[in-house]
Amino acid sequence: AQSVTQLDSHVSVSEGTPVLLRCNYSSSYSPSLFWYVQHPNKGLQLLLKYTSAATLVKGINGFEAEFKKSETSFHLTKPSAHMSDAAEYFCVVSPNNNDMRFGAGTRLTVKP
Amino acid sequence: EAGVAQSPRYKIIEKRQSVAFWCNPISGHATLYWYQQILGQGPKLLIQFQNNGVVDDSQLPKDRFSAERLKGVDSTLKIQPAKLEDSAVYLCASSPPGAGVNEQFFGPGTRLTVL
């Protein structure tokens, strides 16, 4: 079965410090992996996606993620947090092109 | 380019009542998805349409939930009768032909509260 585990339900950082949101996946095949962000009362927005090309994926708003097959991980990072980054983040695995399995989400809080 | 539109944005009903949600996907998008997002959880796919045909409805509780996309454009999701555990945000998403989930655009969602 395909699934993702977001290791932290809540992460709190200070503005200007690095962000690390952790995600592990399980998949029988080489999956596609995504990170989405959800701001309050807004739709889900795609941050970045991995689809078997370069293992280091750069996304919008300075975020990036590295696909590590040996560790079955796809952690999301950003060098310097901004107040506007405060939101819910979802790691998603897709074993094929028609099915997506969302993680439970990580709420990011950014302190001034 | 206009995004995925959903209405209403909020709905409060009592249990055993009926409710319907509407979704208008991005123009030209052949694939349409309905997700249920319960508070504190990630979205769960309920049903996927390709044009006006159902591709996957394996996680749709068919005893109370129904969805249609009659002309291959707009879609409605209905719950009849609603239960307390149906309280959630219902998200609609669409993707262009051939893109599948690799290029999925989400609407703002409809927040349903069942009392």
Side-chain angles (χ1 to χ4, degrees), chain B residues 16-45:
Chain B
R16 291 187 288 273
Q17 285 188 321
S18 301
V19 65
F21 313 126
W22 173 82
C23 172
N24 180 234
I26 294 172
S27 178
H29 282 197
T31 310
L32 185 147
Y33 311 79
W34 282 103
Y35 290 85
Q36 180 193 57
Q37 185 178 14
I38 293 173
L39 186 65
Q41 299 180 18
K44 181 186 79 172
L45 180 69

Side-chain angles (χ1 to χ4, degrees), chain A residues 19 21 34-35 40 49 63 65-66 91 94 101 106:
Chain A
V19 175
L21 305 183
F34 308 79
W35 276 98
K49 62 183 176 185
F63 284 94
E66 186 171 7
C91 182
S94 176
R101 306 293 172 87
T106 297

